[in-house]
Amino acid sequence: MYLFPGHHVTITKNSTFSMNHLSLKEKLISYFLFLGLGAIVITSFYSFYSTRNALMTRTFDQLTSLRLAKQNQVERFFQDRVKDITLLSHSNEIIELIHSLEKGKTQDDRMMSAYLKKFSVFHSNFDCIFFLGNEEHYLSVCTGDSVASLESLKNIPASVKASLPSMDPGIILHDIVLDEKSGIPRMYISTPVFGRGRIAIGSVVMEIRLKTINEIMLSKYPNPGFGETGETYLVGSDFLMRSSSRFIPNSVLRTMVKTEPVINAFQGKDFPIISRDYRNIPVLSSSGKISIPGPKWVILAEIEREEAIVPVIKIRNNLILLSTLISLLFIIAVFLISKMITRPIVSLKYAAVKVGQGNYDINLPVTTHDEIGALTRAFNLMSSQIKEKTEDLKYEKILRLRTVIDAEEAERLRLSREIHDGIGQSLIALKLKLESLLYIDEKLIKENIIMLKEQFDVTVDEVRRISNNLMPSVLQVFGITVALRNLCKDTENQASLVVEYSVTGDPEKINPKIKTYLYRIAQEAINNAVRHAEATKIEMKLSVEDDLIGFTIRDNGKGFVRIKNTTEKGNGLHNMRERVSLLHGNLIIKSAPGKGTSITIKIPVF
């Protein structure tokens, strides 16, 4: 599996992989990438969804704004048509025309020009105007592209004519219907015409020009950027279209629109939603009721969802591109920063390896003043201190080796002197005595043999003494207490001085190694007091507690001056210090000229 440049890790079935197997650089890169790319992804998703929601909200607001604008236009249009028919029905010329129709009179040119002049004011919003008397007399006036004859009255459906009240003073706005003969959708508005005494003498019926309504619905004003799929249209209570569709020809009263926005609008719910339109295409829709007298209509403003989210898709693509570029730059920056951070640490690692191999002549450059710089300075100091300590240890090792050799040579010299001066001389004397027996009288042989026996006993005692000095058997047989007491008595007998010995606790629980070391330390201290201090009295105290051994040796000799941080002169004190160190104890030497010397030892009980 490939992880990073120059780093390969093979994961077998019986092995596991974790972050612990990665180097510091790879860990930093992994952590940075995880946190950084995670933050970029989260920010991108948040930005995308926030922007998408904002754009969808803006689109819904635009749809609602467009729907309200179209709704106001439609409502104003019908309000104006109500005003038009009201003005026409109250005109003296029209009242006079209806009277003439009731009397069955034929209109003269003056009368015709009068109501034609009246109609010219309204012809842009009406296709035909019908003047009806109460006795089935009627007159119609139509635009140029409509049927301009009396037969045009037959285009008024029977249901509309039946609904015209003879005495009702109100204005009726009739819903759109299909013409029975032509199949053309038509819409009428009617009102009675009253004569003197508020008596209804006829009616005026005006055919509203649906082309004008369709122009209102299909125009993109006031939102020219509404897109290619945006449309507004009207739907009646029977869920049939009341205005033309942009996509389906001849859709009025022929296209069923029983969609969720239409149902919501009839129920008084005018919030925008995403649903499917009459073509079963997902759209963003805003719907609401039309407030006009008579027909129950709703108006819808819709745009296909695919077109509405085009800006969202563009933003998504831009975010992906921008996130990719930022991620690439971030990865490059992470590699550079990780390399910059880990370079001095890697240098420290290789330097530590060299130090471990014994190369202490290392001084890394300090390039920063942060923790890594402090670590580098501490490493350089450590390296120099290790070098100094190593040199000191080498010197101390040489010194110890020299001390051991000197001690061995001194011990050989002492043994040589003792054997030469003691045993050697005794053996030579015994040899001479034995040789003299050849030349003496027989009567004196027995006396000389007795003298030889006494000299042999002295020689045997001397050999035993030398043997005890090498490894006292009394220490192994009778213990440390007896061995130290015998050492003190021998010293008194040989050196003619006073040695006081005391012991507290149970020294026999001390392990044999500590016993031997204590005995050698006592030998060294007594030897120094006798040979160098010129002491006349020595005090030796041994105390054994539960976890600590105390051993003190004092003399009243001439003492000496100790200089701090210097090695003791001679092998005696140095040997004592080495032995105490091997026992993990503590040795304190106090001495001053004319005040004797005090040696105090504290050793833990193992």
Side-chain angles (χ1 to χ4, degrees):
M1 181 175 67
Y2 180 75
L3 293 178
F4 299 98
H7 183 84
H8 298 267
V9 176
T10 300
I11 301 179
T12 62
K13 184 177 181 180
N14 296 324
S15 64
T16 58
F17 173 75
S18 65
M19 292 295 290
N20 294 329
H21 293 83
L22 300 179
S23 65
L24 178 61
K25 179 181 178 181
E26 291 164 351
K27 286 182 181 179
L28 285 175
I29 292 174
S30 300
Y31 293 145
F32 281 149
L33 290 181
F34 176 76
L35 295 175
L37 295 182
I40 292 174
V41 170
I42 292 173
T43 303
S44 299
F45 272 101
Y46 176 78
S47 301
F48 169 72
Y49 284 107
S50 298
T51 306
R52 187 193 68 172
N53 294 337
L55 287 174
M56 297 295 282
T57 302
R58 188 189 69 176
T59 303
F60 279 127
D61 291 341
Q62 290 177 336
L63 285 173
T64 302
S65 176
L66 178 64
R67 189 256 300 170
L68 291 175
K70 299 289 186 179
Q71 180 177 330
N72 290 333
Q73 285 182 287
V74 171
E75 291 174 352
R76 284 198 303 269
F77 174 80
F78 285 107
Q79 290 172 3
D80 292 341
R81 302 297 75 77
V82 170
K83 292 178 182 179
D84 290 341
I85 197 170
T86 301
L87 177 63
L88 193 63
S89 64
H90 287 78
S91 170
N92 292 329
E93 291 84 352
I94 300 305
I95 294 174
E96 187 177 347
L97 173 63
I98 296 297
H99 272 299
S100 64
L101 290 175
E102 282 295 308
K103 294 177 181 180
K105 295 182 180 180
T106 303
Q107 290 76 27
D108 54 18
D109 292 340
R110 182 182 61 82
M111 185 70 67
M112 289 295 294
S113 62
Y115 63 74
L116 286 176
K117 184 177 180 181
K118 282 284 186 183
F119 176 70
S120 65
V121 178
F122 310 110
H123 77 276
S124 62
N125 295 309
F126 298 98
D127 287 329
C128 292
I129 301 179
F130 300 93
F131 304 98
L132 289 81
N134 291 333
E135 302 296 332
E136 297 296 328
H137 300 291
Y138 58 87
L139 178 66
S140 64
V141 180
C142 300
T143 59
D145 55 355
S146 299
V147 181
S149 65
L150 294 178
E151 295 295 324
S152 298
L153 185 59
K154 298 177 181 179
N155 294 331
I156 304 176
S159 60
V160 176
K161 295 180 8 178
S163 66
L164 295 177
S166 59
M167 298 299 293
D168 190 357
I171 296 173
I172 299 176
L173 181 63
H174 304 272
D175 204 342
I176 298 175
V177 294
L178 291 177
D179 190 278
E180 295 177 353
K181 293 184 178 180
S182 64
I184 298 173
R186 300 183 185 277
M187 185 176 187
Y188 302 98
I189 184 171
S190 63
T191 187
V193 177
F194 298 96
R196 293 183 181 87
R198 296 294 296 170
I199 299 174
I201 60 176
S203 301
V204 175
V205 180
M206 305 179 76
E207 182 181 349
I208 296 174
R209 180 171 291 177
L210 297 180
K211 181 180 179 181
T212 305
I213 297 176
N214 288 330
E215 289 174 352
I216 293 174
M217 290 291 102
L218 296 177
S219 67
K220 294 182 179 180
Y221 178 81
N223 189 358
F226 195 48
E228 298 298 326
T229 61
E231 67 171 336
T232 54
Y233 55 91
L234 300 170
V235 179
S237 58
D238 55 0
F239 299 106
L240 293 175
M241 272 196 174
R242 293 301 193 270
S243 63
S244 297
S245 168
R246 289 184 60 181
F247 308 103
I248 301 176
N250 301 321
S251 58
V252 178
L253 294 179
R254 293 184 176 89
T255 301
M256 178 66 67
V257 191
K258 196 170 183 178
T259 60
E260 184 179 358
V262 174
I263 296 173
N264 289 340
F266 279 121
Q267 294 176 353
K269 304 173 183 178
D270 58 355
F271 50 83
I273 61 172
I274 298 177
S275 65
R276 292 185 176 272
D277 66 355
Y278 56 91
R279 298 170 296 156
N280 200 31
I281 294 176
V283 295
L284 279 68
S285 178
S286 177
S287 59
K289 281 186 178 180
I290 296 289
S291 297
I292 56 175
K296 295 181 178 180
W297 291 355
V298 295
I299 182 172
L300 293 95
E302 295 177 341
I303 185 172
E304 291 184 8
R305 186 183 64 182
E306 293 298 324
E307 183 178 5
I309 65 174
V310 167
V312 178
I313 295 175
K314 290 181 179 179
I315 291 174
R316 181 198 64 189
N317 296 336
N318 291 335
L319 280 175
I320 291 174
L321 178 61
L322 182 61
S323 298
T324 303
L325 293 176
I326 293 176
S327 298
L328 290 175
L329 293 175
F330 181 78
I331 290 172
I332 295 173
V334 164
F335 271 99
L336 295 177
I337 294 173
S338 299
K339 186 176 181 180
M340 181 179 64
I341 292 175
T342 57
R343 185 187 296 116
I345 299 177
V346 172
S347 300
L348 284 170
K349 183 191 77 171
Y350 288 120
V353 171
K354 291 182 179 179
V355 169
Q357 294 173 350
N359 183 8
Y360 308 116
D361 296 325
I362 296 175
N363 188 17
L364 296 176
V366 179
T367 58
T368 60
H369 298 285
D370 53 7
E371 288 81 359
I372 294 178
L375 179 61
T376 304
R377 287 191 291 270
F379 179 83
N380 291 335
L381 178 61
M382 179 192 71
S383 178
S384 63
Q385 290 179 346
I386 290 177
K387 182 179 179 181
E388 293 176 1
K389 293 295 182 181
T390 302
E391 292 176 352
D392 292 341
L393 288 174
K394 288 181 180 179
Y395 176 76
E396 187 174 352
K397 182 179 179 181
I398 294 172
L399 183 61
R400 287 184 179 183
L401 182 59
R402 184 183 302 165
T403 302
V404 171
I405 295 173
D406 291 345
E408 290 178 352
E409 292 298 327
E411 186 67 15
R412 290 191 182 100
L413 180 59
R414 184 181 67 80
L415 290 174
S416 175
R417 287 176 179 173
E418 288 186 353
I419 293 172
H420 180 271
D421 296 340
I423 299 175
Q425 295 299 323
S426 297
L427 291 176
I428 292 172
L430 288 171
K431 178 184 176 184
L432 294 175
K433 284 287 185 182
L434 286 172
E435 289 177 350
S436 66
L437 290 177
L438 297 174
Y439 306 104
I440 65 173
D441 189 358
E442 292 181 3
K443 295 180 180 180
L444 299 176
I445 290 177
K446 184 177 181 179
E447 295 178 3
N448 284 282
I449 291 174
I450 294 173
M451 292 177 58
L452 285 173
K453 179 179 177 296
E454 293 176 354
Q455 288 183 3
F456 269 114
D457 291 337
V458 172
T459 302
V460 170
D461 291 338
E462 184 68 18
V463 172
R464 185 179 293 112
R465 185 184 63 80
I466 295 173
S467 176
N468 287 334
N469 286 333
L470 292 175
M471 177 54 68
S473 59
V474 68
L475 180 63
Q476 298 178 356
V477 177
F478 298 103
I480 185 68
T481 304
V482 176
L484 291 177
R485 183 175 291 114
N486 290 344
L487 177 62
C488 293
K489 289 181 178 180
D490 292 342
T491 302
E492 284 184 335
N493 295 331
Q494 294 175 9
S496 299
L497 52 77
V498 178
V499 180
E500 295 179 356
Y501 171 69
S502 63
V503 60
T504 58
D506 183 13
E508 299 310 320
K509 70 179 183 179
I510 304 174
N511 67 54
K513 179 181 177 181
I514 298 178
K515 291 179 181 179
T516 303
Y517 278 31
L518 290 176
Y519 187 81
R520 296 302 184 193
I521 291 171
Q523 283 183 315
E524 292 286 353
I526 291 174
N527 184 55
N528 288 338
V530 173
R531 294 177 56 189
H532 305 292
E534 299 177 1
T536 60
K537 183 180 180 181
I538 298 175
E539 294 180 5
M540 182 184 299
K541 294 181 181 180
L542 175 62
S543 64
V544 181
E545 300 176 359
D546 293 337
D547 56 353
L548 189 66
I549 300 172
F551 193 37
T552 304
I553 301 172
R554 296 188 183 91
D555 66 60
N556 60 353
K558 62 182 180 180
F560 61 92
V561 178
R562 296 188 67 249
I563 302 175
K564 293 183 179 180
N565 301 323
T566 59
T567 304
E568 289 86 359
K569 295 182 180 180
N571 295 327
L573 295 178
H574 181 74
N575 289 339
M576 282 190 287
R577 191 175 297 278
E578 287 296 319
R579 293 180 189 277
V580 173
S581 176
L582 291 174
L583 296 176
H584 305 286
N586 183 28
L587 183 143
I588 300 174
I589 300 175
K590 296 181 179 180
S591 181
K595 294 184 179 180
T597 301
S598 172
I599 298 173
T600 303
I601 299 171
K602 300 292 184 181
I603 299 173
V605 177
F606 293 99

